[in-house]
Amino acid sequence: MQIWRSLDDVPPDQPRSVVVVGNFDGVHLGHRRVLARARSLAGDRPVVAVTFDPHPMAVLRPEHAPTTLTTMEARAALLDEAGADAVLALPFDRAVAAWTPEEFVVKVLVDALHAASVVVGANFRFGHKAAGDVTTLVEEGLRHDFAAEGIPLDGGPMVWSSTYVRTCLAAGDVAGAAEALGRPYAVRGLVVQGDQRGRELGYPTANVPIDASVAAPADGVYAGWLRRVGATGDPLPAAISVGTNPTFAGERDRRVESYVLDHTDLELYGVEVEVSFVERLRGMTAFASVEELLVQMADDVARARDLLRG
């Protein structure tokens, strides 16, 4: 998988390509439908996914910018899995935002990628003040010798959108998010040393801080999986807490704490892990005593084990 971080990174001899364009945050089932259509058109041509870094809203209206579902590296890996041969992560700034739809077509699709076909979502908008749409793209394609089409991003009654996934996560509905994504939602990060209360209670956890710019499930306890990024082997079943651990006094940053079921000897400090969420077990509660917390934790672990076995 090639990742180009600017138009200048694209090789000048790039062959005629089938291009998909979008934010592709999360690479949900709708995005995968776009990639599948591009792959079916490509034949021997490469499929190039054009995305934007950062999200355009982070530049144009930062106070309204959505949290991200995937880092650019994770997004590229998912696009690779979905059928892309290369990713152009176009740096988005005020200058790019000022491009007319025609300028975007010429600079990106024609001059850089030599597009033979372009596939986008049916709601695709592009260019200054989102002036361009699929109709614009089709007209530009006729002018510049490429075919263009927009396809629906939904699955009938099922909505496939990054916004929908974020809404599910905000409600703690990780099963709903997984249905739209086609896989469990996951967060990645380096394991840091926490206050070690879990270890003292018999449930040592791998603690991953939550960046405020990254989407995470609502505070609560979940069943899910933990795996070391880049490692071979199956992911490990885990009971996962998201939040600030309100039973204990003091202010803490929000974090993901994963207890790998029946493992008390894992050494994960400084290791990059991916934590994926299968189902919510309960909301976050401040318990009156440590004893009450321990009773609940034992129940959480038992329920997580039953769910993940199934």
Side-chain angles (χ1 to χ4, degrees):
M1 161 63 72
Q2 295 174 302
I3 303 177
W4 300 316
R5 294 285 182 168
S6 73
L7 289 174
D8 291 337
D9 288 345
V10 181
D13 60 349
Q14 173 67 15
R16 296 207 75 186
S17 307
V18 176
V19 182
V20 296
V21 189
N23 286 311
F24 297 117
D25 192 17
V27 193
H28 55 64
L29 290 177
H31 297 144
R32 289 174 180 270
R33 175 179 280 184
V34 171
L35 265 296
R37 175 58 178 162
R39 193 76 263 169
S40 73
L41 295 171
D44 294 332
R45 299 188 192 279
V47 173
V48 179
V50 177
T51 187
F52 305 95
D53 189 23
H55 191 289
M57 287 292 286
V59 173
L60 301 176
R61 300 180 68 187
E63 68 279 10
H64 297 294
T67 52
T68 58
L69 299 173
T70 45
T71 64
M72 187 53 64
E73 290 72 20
R75 192 179 312 175
L78 290 166
L79 289 167
D80 180 17
E81 178 187 296
D85 298 301
V87 172
L88 170 57
L90 189 65
F92 192 89
D93 55 21
R94 290 282 177 179
V96 173
W99 287 352
T100 65
E102 293 76 14
E103 285 178 304
F104 178 87
V105 166
V106 171
K107 291 175 185 290
V108 178
L109 302 180
V110 178
D111 289 350
L113 300 178
H114 311 137
S117 299
V118 179
V119 184
V120 296
N123 62 349
F124 178 66
R125 304 300 297 255
F126 68 109
H128 184 54
K129 295 186 177 180
D133 58 13
V134 174
T135 299
T136 311
L137 194 60
V138 170
E139 292 170 350
E140 288 297 307
L142 292 172
R143 188 173 294 117
H144 294 285
D145 189 31
F146 64 81
E149 62 182 284
I151 64 173
L153 297 184
D154 61 69
M158 179 67 197
V159 177
W160 292 335
S161 74
S162 302
T163 299
Y164 175 77
V165 173
R166 292 186 194 96
T167 300
C168 287
L169 293 175
D173 181 11
V174 293
E179 190 174 0
L181 290 168
R183 67 184 188 281
Y185 181 69
V187 297
R188 288 187 179 194
L190 292 178
V191 176
V192 301
Q193 186 167 343
D195 50 30
Q196 298 192 313
R197 282 204 174 89
R199 186 176 298 274
E200 294 170 3
L201 298 174
Y203 297 96
T205 57
N207 302 320
V208 175
I210 300 174
D211 190 302
S213 66
V214 176
D219 287 4
V221 178
Y222 299 83
W225 303 93
L226 179 144
R227 72 173 184 89
R228 296 175 176 89
V229 174
T232 58
D234 294 332
L236 301 170
I240 306 159
S241 171
V242 178
T244 58
N245 207 346
T247 296
F248 299 96
E251 294 186 8
R252 296 175 185 80
D253 293 332
R254 198 160 174 258
R255 60 195 178 189
V256 173
E257 302 180 59
S258 303
Y259 166 63
V260 176
L261 302 189
D262 307 318
H263 282 71
T264 59
D265 57 350
L266 291 176
E267 293 296 336
L268 295 173
Y269 292 142
V271 174
E272 185 180 12
V273 299
E274 179 180 81
V275 180
S276 55
F277 301 86
V278 174
E279 189 157 328
R280 195 181 202 208
L281 302 176
R282 61 177 175 86
M284 188 58 69
T285 303
F287 292 91
S289 68
V290 172
E291 290 72 23
E292 287 184 22
L293 172 61
L294 283 169
V295 170
Q296 183 61 62
M297 290 173 71
D299 183 66
D300 294 338
V301 168
R303 290 180 62 203
R305 183 180 290 109
D306 289 343
L307 276 167
L308 298 172
R309 278 177 180 166

